[in-house]
Amino acid sequence: MKKAIQMWSFRDRVKDGESLLEALAIAARIGYEGVEFAGTFGVPAEEMKEALKKLGLVSVSCHEGVDRLDEHLDEIVEYHHILGTPYIGCSYSPTGSREDMERLERVMKTATERAAKYGIKVVYHNHAHEFEPLDGVRPIDEIAKWCLLEPDTYWVFHAGDNPPEFLRRYRSRIGLIHLKDGVDGKGTSIGDGANDLKSIVEAAKDIGVEWVIAEIENAAEDAESVRDAENSFAYMTEKLGL
């Protein structure tokens, strides 16, 4: 499996296009092979493509909220088609009402159909609220019918499900995996939390996942993203064998 990093992990230093490009260089220096964007901060697609090429990085995915996917889908697909990005991810959607779910279903099905014309797949990135039943059914189980999943393994754990079992249960619906750690609902660097990361990696290997994406959610007052990204990469490499 290959290692990527969600660029939101560098949120303490990425404020504009220039600082995003600097953070991409840091990710490459550390050793990550790919990145998942959390916004492109106005950097034109051709410029971003050239920057990634020079750094030897793959654009694995991007995160866009349900509003952006609903209102700017063509723009998103065009940008990531230029980059050669294989996945587009929905980073967040409310799921607490039937209206929320009906909208999400429409958006994800439309995005999946439109992106497929460019060879791009669409995934949904969960938090914990998608595991809270609505009318007796967990939203995450409905979402898995509409698109591929990008399980955030810490939020799966925090929601009370078992991440390795969840991955195997939905093996045919998994596109990407977020490897994340934390304690009591608060994020940590990878290896510093309570999640069973070794079992998650074993399950990911079993189901044939190509990319594992590190997302580091240390609390803002404790975060120093370069340190955290380095420590997480070292743990993934030395302790998890990635």
Side-chain angles (χ1 to χ4, degrees), residues 35-73:
V35 294
E36 180 175 62
F37 287 99
T40 51
F41 295 85
V43 179
E46 291 293 350
E47 181 181 346
M48 184 70 79
K49 181 179 180 180
E50 185 62 24
L52 292 171
K53 182 179 179 180
K54 288 181 179 179
L55 293 168
L57 288 171
V58 175
S59 173
V60 178
S61 180
C62 68
H63 269 192
E64 301 284 356
V66 68
D67 291 343
R68 281 263 303 158
L69 287 173
D70 195 9
E71 298 165 9
H72 300 280
L73 179 60

Side-chain angles (χ1 to χ4, degrees), residues 3-7 9-10 12-13 22-35 55-57 189-190 214 216 224-238 242:
K3 299 187 286 296
I5 188 167
Q6 160 56 246
M7 294 305 293
S9 303
F10 294 102
D12 65 330
R13 62 193 305 125
E22 291 170 354
L24 289 171
I26 292 169
R29 175 185 61 76
I30 292 170
Y32 291 99
E33 299 160 275
V35 294
L55 293 168
L57 288 171
S189 291
I190 292 172
I216 305 156
E224 206 300 297
S225 60
V226 176
R227 175 203 66 199
D228 299 338
E230 289 174 339
N231 290 345
S232 294
F233 183 88
Y235 190 89
M236 293 167 71
T237 303
E238 298 167 11
L242 291 173

Side-chain angles (χ1 to χ4, degrees), residues 104-123:
L104 182 58
E105 179 179 8
R106 172 179 58 79
V107 170
M108 298 310 288
K109 286 183 175 179
T110 299
T112 296
E113 180 180 358
R114 200 165 302 173
K117 296 177 182 178
Y118 298 88
I120 299 173
K121 298 177 181 179
V122 175
V123 295

Side-chain angles (χ1 to χ4, degrees), residues 10 16 22 42 44 49 68 74 78 88-89 91 105 139 147 191 199:
F10 294 102
D16 52 27
E22 291 170 354
K49 181 179 180 180
R68 281 263 303 158
D74 289 340
E78 180 180 359
I88 289 173
S91 58
E105 179 179 8
C147 62
S199 295

Side-chain angles (χ1 to χ4, degrees), residues 112-240:
T112 296
E113 180 180 358
R114 200 165 302 173
K117 296 177 182 178
Y118 298 88
I120 299 173
K121 298 177 181 179
V122 175
V123 295
Y124 183 86
H125 165 267
N126 64 275
H127 293 79
H129 65 275
E130 297 92 345
F131 291 78
E132 298 174 6
L134 175 66
D135 299 330
V137 179
R138 301 189 311 176
I140 193 66
D141 298 320
E142 290 295 301
I143 295 167
K145 300 174 183 177
W146 310 331
C147 62
L148 297 177
L149 301 177
E150 180 185 41
D152 182 306
T153 55
Y154 180 67
W155 288 122
V156 173
F157 167 71
H158 184 67
D161 206 326
N162 180 288
E165 291 180 4
F166 183 87
L167 295 179
R168 291 188 173 97
R169 187 184 319 141
Y170 279 113
R171 62 188 308 136
S172 66
R173 304 300 292 160
I174 305 296
L176 301 167
I177 287 177
H178 265 205
L179 195 66
K180 187 189 292 182
D181 214 350
V183 177
D184 297 332
K186 296 181 180 179
T188 67
S189 291
I190 292 172
D192 291 340
N195 212 3
D196 186 355
L197 301 177
K198 289 185 178 180
S199 295
I200 289 168
V201 168
E202 289 174 4
K205 289 178 178 178
D206 287 348
I207 67 174
V209 172
E210 181 180 6
W211 285 97
V212 172
I213 301 171
E215 185 176 25
I216 305 156
E217 279 194 339
N218 277 336
E221 62 271 19
D222 298 326
E224 206 300 297
S225 60
V226 176
R227 175 203 66 199
D228 299 338
E230 289 174 339
N231 290 345
S232 294
F233 183 88
Y235 190 89
M236 293 167 71
T237 303
E238 298 167 11
K239 302 297 185 182
L240 300 179

Side-chain angles (χ1 to χ4, degrees), residues 90-102:
C90 181
S91 58
Y92 176 84
S93 176
T95 58
S97 70
R98 183 48 51 192
E99 291 74 21
D100 291 335
M101 292 296 288
E102 289 173 354

